[in-house]
Amino acid sequence: MKGPLVGYLVVVAVALAGLLLFGVAMLMRRLLAPVSQTPARLTTYESGVDPVGQGWSQSQVRYLGFAFLYVVFAVDAVYLFPWATVLRDADLGVASLVEMGIFIGVLVVGLAHAARRGLLRWTP
């Protein structure tokens, strides 16, 4: 079978297979999972610990800084590792090296800013 729509037929078949697999999994869960609505099961918990007090509590804003730094350096790794694996390619050129230099420069500026604000200290 040849034609311009064969690729779309494959995509539709894979999507239908995925939907069928999802539907079968949900049906099996509904049939096999135990259903018991006890008060202990309906109690809210956080990380396996019973709740104590009210649901509202203050949290320190500096944890957001740590989360932001983690995201920045995780994205850094996502871009640097693939670039480093194709670095041996002769067609990559100087433009790619300059672009990566700019990228690393922006990361260094962000790291310097975080260090200046004291986000990299381990103790408060």
Side-chain angles (χ1 to χ4, degrees), residues 16-103:
L16 287 176
L19 287 173
L20 180 67
L21 182 63
F22 175 76
V24 168
M26 290 294 107
L27 179 67
M28 295 306 292
R29 183 197 61 85
R30 175 74 64 172
L31 294 174
L32 298 176
V35 179
S36 61
Q37 299 298 334
T38 62
R41 185 171 179 175
L42 296 175
T43 302
T44 304
Y45 67 94
E46 180 68 31
S47 300
V49 178
D50 291 331
V52 177
Q54 296 182 1
W56 295 97
S57 66
Q58 280 188 330
S59 61
Q60 296 185 11
V61 176
R62 72 178 193 178
Y63 293 123
L64 294 174
F66 292 132
F68 180 71
L69 283 174
Y70 171 76
V71 169
V72 166
F73 289 108
V75 169
D76 171 31
V78 166
Y79 285 119
L80 277 177
F81 287 135
W83 179 77
T85 58
V86 298
L87 187 60
R88 291 180 233 136
D89 189 8
D91 296 333
L92 206 54
V94 177
S96 176
L97 186 63
V98 170
E99 290 171 358
M100 195 50 67
I102 292 170
F103 178 71

